Amino acid sequence: MNSRRIKTWAWVHKWSSLVCTAFMLLLCITGLPLIFHHEIGHLLGTEVEAPKMPADAPRANLDRVLETAKALHPDRVVQFVSQPEDDDAIWFVTLTPTPAPDDFKQVAVDARTGAVLAQPKTDEGFMYVMFKLHVDLFAGLPGMLFLGFMGFLLLVAIVSGVVLYSPFMRKLDFGTVRRERRPRLKWLDLHNLLGIVTLAWAFTVGATGMINTWADLIVKYWQHDQLSVLLKPYQGQPTVPVAERGSVQQSMDVALKSAPGMKLSFIAFPGTSFSSPHHNTFFLRGNEPFTSRLLQPVLVDAQTGTITASPRLPWYLTALLVSQPLHFGDYGGMPMQILWALLDIATIIVLGSGLYLWLKRGHTVPASAKVGEDAHGSPAPLAQPASTATAKVGT
């Protein structure tokens, strides 16, 4: 590249990274404990665990489970019911004052005995604060979209950093970290080295994080794009009252029978964001590490208990479902979590060194050096990159 193009890319890299650096540091720091949220929950005693019982222990009727949860909060409506991916011995019942997604109360019920195990606090504690800062800065949808824009700037900074890497490092062997008397050179080399090493990971995590910030909008578009078409036979009919709904257990049995080999992920009840005013929607998942993230919705009429539709999810919802676990390294168990954490820490160093290089920008090139080279004949940046890569955006 000629000097003019280098200066242009350097300007793009400098300002895209400077604008998002503070927020990327926040997301890296808050994302680190979220990688190990299950393990931290066990250590803090906030993770709900079911008592040990034989694998063939009989299962409690789901209708009884829901009655048990509602008895604790009779003024609330059941919104979702779910089970952990790695433990089908627990039902988590989520209730709200209305079907709208706010003011959650959650009850954990033993799936074998139907007894209440706990009422987890979903809106307090260390992990809650980390999660909210990481997802929406306690600002709801505007906060999510803002972090999504920061994620876009991150991707711009990564691409521009890659373009600048070759002309800036052409006279140095890969992995060289100069240790002269000027610390800025050492941090520049370290910044470039860690930035290029974490490149693929940072781009993947940044892109999936940006997609995650669009989750609410993607779900709303799915409702408008496909769910509305399936609900045309119900047009003009009121929402099914709770008293007139049929057995949820029977509806679940029908849904599972329609998709052999699949397991239940969660149930969305009538009026909630993932369902319709007339259906219990059962989201089923596969058994393999990858297919367990891909959901198959089955819409069951809440009154009659019959299946009315089982549409395949569109590509944009599939992309969202795949991006969520990939963002936090949930596909490969503990080894992948450790790898994600190490790359996260490396990215924090990239961000910190980029910020240091910006603050020390007045000492970039000695007066005696040639333009574009430092005193040792090695390329010096024409603009000071604040970051080449970073970590998690949104969830």
Side-chain angles (χ1 to χ4, degrees):
M1 292 191 297
N2 57 37
S3 177
R4 182 177 179 180
R5 288 184 178 179
I6 290 177
K7 288 181 179 180
T8 300
W9 279 108
W11 184 90
V12 170
H13 183 68
K14 177 178 68 174
W15 288 109
S16 61
S17 54
L18 277 175
V19 171
C20 71
T21 289
F23 296 99
M24 294 302 105
L25 273 172
L26 173 67
L27 294 175
C28 282
I29 294 169
T30 56
L32 195 56
L34 291 177
I35 296 173
F36 302 101
H37 62 282
H38 286 304
E39 292 76 13
I40 293 175
H42 284 295
L43 290 175
L44 297 177
T46 57
E47 196 83 0
V48 180
E49 297 183 10
K52 298 293 183 182
M53 294 181 68
D56 59 350
R59 317 289 292 184
N61 186 285
L62 183 54
D63 295 312
R64 177 189 164 194
V65 169
L66 299 181
E67 291 172 2
T68 300
K70 277 189 63 65
L72 297 175
H73 302 283
D75 58 334
R76 290 174 174 263
V77 178
V78 176
Q79 184 183 36
F80 298 107
V81 174
S82 63
Q83 288 187 311
E85 184 181 338
D86 56 351
D87 187 3
D88 62 356
I90 304 175
W91 286 111
F92 286 102
V93 184
T94 302
L95 306 99
T96 62
T98 69
D102 57 4
D103 189 16
F104 293 102
K105 294 288 185 183
Q106 195 171 72
V107 180
V109 182
D110 193 306
R112 292 81 47 91
T113 66
V116 175
L117 296 173
Q119 295 190 62
K121 300 294 185 181
T122 59
D123 57 354
E124 62 182 47
F126 171 74
M127 294 304 294
Y128 170 74
V129 173
M130 294 295 101
F131 178 77
K132 291 295 288 182
L133 286 174
H134 192 81
V135 170
D136 62 10
L137 300 175
F138 286 93
L141 181 59
M144 293 178 68
L145 296 178
F146 175 78
L147 290 178
F149 179 65
M150 292 299 104
F152 171 75
L153 291 181
L154 160 67
L155 300 182
V156 172
I158 292 174
V159 171
S160 56
V162 171
V163 173
L164 294 172
Y165 182 82
S166 178
F168 284 168
M169 301 298 290
R170 65 185 183 275
K171 294 185 179 180
L172 293 176
D173 294 331
F174 179 79
T176 299
V177 178
R178 291 167 289 183
R179 301 182 181 276
E180 281 88 353
R181 296 173 62 182
R182 287 184 295 158
R184 190 181 183 284
L185 277 179
K186 179 182 71 175
W187 283 109
L188 173 62
D189 292 342
L190 190 63
H191 176 83
N192 290 333
L193 175 61
L194 290 179
I196 205 68
V197 168
T198 59
L199 168 67
W201 176 84
F203 194 91
T204 299
V205 173
T208 54
M210 184 174 64
I211 293 172
N212 289 339
T213 65
W214 304 335
D216 288 354
L217 299 179
I218 290 174
V219 172
K220 283 182 172 60
Y221 181 74
W222 172 65
Q223 291 175 319
H224 170 76
D225 178 44
Q226 296 196 358
L227 200 57
S228 60
V229 176
L230 300 174
L231 298 179
K232 282 187 176 180
Y234 294 87
Q235 200 166 19
Q237 298 183 22
T239 302
V240 181
V242 175
E244 298 180 14
R245 296 176 188 174
S247 168
V248 179
Q249 177 68 56
Q250 292 179 13
S251 296
M252 182 177 68
D253 293 340
V254 170
L256 290 172
K257 188 177 180 180
S258 70
M262 301 191 78
K263 296 181 179 180
L264 180 70
S265 177
F266 71 94
I267 308 170
F269 285 79
T272 55
S273 56
F274 282 87
S275 189
S276 81
H278 315 283
H279 293 85
N280 295 320
T281 303
F282 297 83
F283 286 85
L284 310 181
R285 59 180 177 82
N287 295 312
E288 302 299 326
F290 181 74
T291 59
S292 66
R293 311 294 181 171
L294 302 178
L295 301 182
Q296 174 64 49
V298 180
L299 278 69
V300 180
D301 189 292
Q303 283 183 301
T304 65
T306 58
I307 296 176
T308 60
S310 183
R312 288 191 175 275
L313 289 182
W315 66 269
Y316 49 84
L317 263 183
T318 299
L320 174 64
L321 292 171
V322 171
S323 69
Q324 289 175 338
L326 183 60
H327 185 69
F328 290 106
D330 287 347
Y331 279 117
M334 183 56 69
M336 192 169 181
Q337 288 175 276
I338 294 174
L339 175 62
W340 248 233
L342 292 175
L343 290 168
D344 192 320
I345 293 170
T347 300
I348 292 175
I349 297 174
V350 173
L351 289 165
S353 60
L355 191 59
Y356 169 81
L357 292 171
W358 167 250
L359 294 174
K360 295 292 185 179
R361 63 191 181 281
H363 307 286
T364 303
V365 182
S368 59
K370 297 179 181 179
V371 175
E373 292 186 341
D374 65 20
H376 299 273
S378 299
L382 300 174
Q384 294 70 36
S387 70
T388 301
T390 190
K392 302 171 174 40
V393 182
T395 102

